[in-house]
Structure formats: structure tokens, C-alpha cells
């Protein structure tokens, strides 16, 4: 197999990708060797941006590169554990992967990570903004599993940010105007930081 691949793709390093198990003792303890092998995997999967990893899982990778199974065993067969080592500057959100790890939503660290991602995506800049995030917005951003485990956004926030004093009643308000708040956050990005933007202003000259 190795010979055939070398003939078909002479510019690729098939020593690492095809024969990870036959390496000398302590080979994989060297972080540079692990980094080189990981780079070859990304090349074989044609991954150019780190966010493209979200469309993969442990199973999908080993189905494409069978011999990577041994390499994954060094990380307990965990894709996210591998990615955290190889891309430490990235804040990985488990729920965004094709297959979320088991018990993701029972981990305070993982729920907190997801909510920080939501805050960035939906323009949440202060505590009051959370009270206006709708259930549908969470579902649309792959948070359905979190809602299933914790019941609602309020419970998830209380669970993951216990140091903050939350007003549980605010989460049950019906008129959240969630989309309006999100649109306001987008509009505010178009103007200088100190620009005052009035959310519910009815101009006297408008007839509708």
C-alpha cells in the first residue's frame, strides 16, 4: 500500500501517515513528531481552516485514514483532545462537532465554553442581554442538547456561571424581542463605540 501511494503521490510523506505503529520506541513522546503527523492528516483531509474540523469526527477521520487509529489512541480516541493539543489557541466548542462527545452538557467547563461562543456570535456584551436570548436562537446554534439537559438557558447559565447573581424570572419573559436585540448589536458595530443607538424610538413623523 505504501509503495502504491508513494507512486501516486510522490510529494507526500507517507512514512508518517501509513505506518504510525511501526515507529521506534518513544517516537510519539516527541511533540514535534506528533505535530508532523497531525499536519499530514490535515493535508490528507484537505483541511485549510481550523473550523473545518467541526465537520469531522473520530470515526470519519479513521475511515479515511485507517492507520490514524493508533495515533488517536494516544489521545484516548478523542478528536477534541487531539485538537486542543495541536491548536491550543483555538477555543473548541464540543457541541459544534458533527458528533458531540458524551456528557458534553454535563460539564460546567464545556457548557461555559459553548455559552461564551454564543455570547460572541449573538453580540452579548452585558448580563441583561442574556435575558433576551430566545430558545430558538440556542437551537439554531446547536444548543438543543444543552436545553435537553438543563431545561432552559437560565438553568444553563446558573450552572456554568454560578458566580453571577442571575434573576431567574427574567428568563421566562415572553416579549424578549430576541431578533431585535441581535439586530441592534449588529447595527452598533457600524458606528463608533460611543454612538448612542435608541432601540425603541418612535419618530413623530412616522405614520406606521
Amino acid at each position: 500500500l505504501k509503495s502504491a501511494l508513494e507512486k501516486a503521490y510522490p510529494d507526500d510523506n507517507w512514512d508518517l501517515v501509513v505506518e504510525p505503529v511501526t515507529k521506534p520506541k518513544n517516537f510519539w513522546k516527541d511533540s514535534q513528531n506528533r505535530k508532523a503527523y497531525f499536519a499530514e492528516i490535515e493535508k490528507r483531509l484537505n483541511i485549510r481552516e481550523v473550523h473545518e474540523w467541526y465537520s469531522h469526527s473520530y470515526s470519519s477521520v479513521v475511515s479515511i485514514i485507517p492507520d490514524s487509529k493508533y495515533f488517536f489512541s494516544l489521545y484516548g480516541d478523542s478528536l477534541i483532545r487531539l485538537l486542543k493539543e495541536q491548536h491550543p489557541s483555538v477555543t473548541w466548542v464540543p457541541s459544534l462537532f458533527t458528533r458531540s462527545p458524551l456528557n458534553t452538557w454535563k460539564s460546567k467547563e464545556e457548557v461555559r465554553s459553548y455559552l461564551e461562543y454564543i455570547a460572541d456570535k449573538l453580540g452579548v456584551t452585558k448580563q441583561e442581554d442574556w435575558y433576551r436570548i430566545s430558545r430558538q436562537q440556542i437551537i439554531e446554534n446547536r444548543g438543543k442538547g444543552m436545553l435537553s439537559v438543563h431545561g432552559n438557558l437560565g438553568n444553563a447559565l446558573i450552572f456554568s456561571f454560578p458566580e453571577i447573581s442571575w434573576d431567574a424570572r427574567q428568563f421566562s419573559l415572553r416579549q424578549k424581542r430576541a431578533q431585535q436585540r441581535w439586530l441592534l448589536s449588529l447595527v452598533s458595530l457600524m458606528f463608533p463605540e460611543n454612538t448612542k443607538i435608541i432601540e425603541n424610538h418612535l419618530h413623530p413623523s412616522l405614520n406606521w
Side-chain angles (χ1 to χ4, degrees):
L1 174 60
K2 179 185 175 185
S3 298
L5 290 171
E6 286 177 333
K7 290 180 179 179
Y9 304 97
D11 296 328
D12 292 331
N13 183 359
W14 290 103
D15 284 334
L16 278 172
V17 175
V18 180
E19 299 179 348
V21 184
T22 60
K23 295 303 169 188
K25 185 179 180 180
N26 297 327
F27 179 84
W28 295 112
K29 290 184 178 181
D30 188 330
S31 61
Q32 292 303 311
N33 290 335
R34 297 196 302 273
K35 183 177 181 180
Y37 180 69
F38 179 76
E40 287 297 326
I41 288 180
E42 288 194 314
K43 185 175 182 180
R44 301 311 319 156
L45 296 176
N46 196 31
I47 291 179
R48 299 180 180 179
E49 301 290 340
V50 291
H51 66 81
E52 293 176 11
W53 272 111
Y54 282 123
S55 63
H56 288 281
S57 66
Y58 160 76
S59 299
S60 70
V61 175
V62 298
S63 67
I64 298 172
I65 309 175
D67 287 294
S68 66
K69 189 172 183 178
Y70 176 80
F71 182 66
F72 270 105
S73 70
L74 303 175
Y75 301 88
D77 294 337
S78 171
L79 173 59
I80 193 168
R81 190 179 301 172
L82 167 61
L83 292 173
K84 283 181 177 180
E85 179 190 82
Q86 297 301 324
H87 292 297
S89 63
V90 178
T91 300
W92 295 101
V93 184
S95 63
L96 299 184
F97 284 92
T98 301
R99 293 184 180 179
S100 300
L102 295 176
N103 298 322
T104 292
W105 302 115
K106 294 181 180 179
S107 164
K108 182 180 294 185
E109 178 185 350
E110 301 298 359
V111 174
R112 190 169 184 137
S113 176
Y114 171 75
L115 292 173
E116 288 173 345
Y117 159 77
I118 286 295
D120 181 63
K121 186 170 184 180
L122 298 183
V124 175
T125 58
K126 55 185 181 297
Q127 182 177 343
E128 290 71 22
D129 289 339
W130 283 113
Y131 300 128
R132 297 185 60 186
I133 299 297
S134 70
R135 184 181 184 85
Q136 186 59 35
Q137 286 178 314
I138 296 298
I139 293 174
E140 289 174 353
N141 286 283
R142 300 189 184 184
K144 188 175 182 179
M146 183 188 72
L147 297 177
S148 297
V149 172
H150 296 281
N152 55 54
L153 173 61
N155 289 339
L157 286 165
I158 292 171
F159 169 73
S160 54
F161 295 95
E163 69 277 12
I164 297 177
S165 179
W166 299 98
D167 183 352
R169 296 171 300 176
Q170 294 288 331
F171 291 109
S172 61
L173 294 178
R174 292 180 177 274
Q175 299 298 324
K176 293 179 180 292
R177 296 182 179 178
Q179 293 297 332
Q180 179 175 304
R181 188 214 61 81
W182 181 59
L183 178 60
L184 176 65
S185 70
L186 294 179
V187 171
S188 66
L189 295 176
M190 302 167 60
F191 298 91
E193 185 175 350
N194 295 324
T195 302
K196 183 178 181 180
I197 301 176
I198 302 175
E199 182 176 356
N200 295 308
H201 176 65
L202 180 61
H203 196 279
S205 66
L206 293 177
N207 296 320
W208 45 272

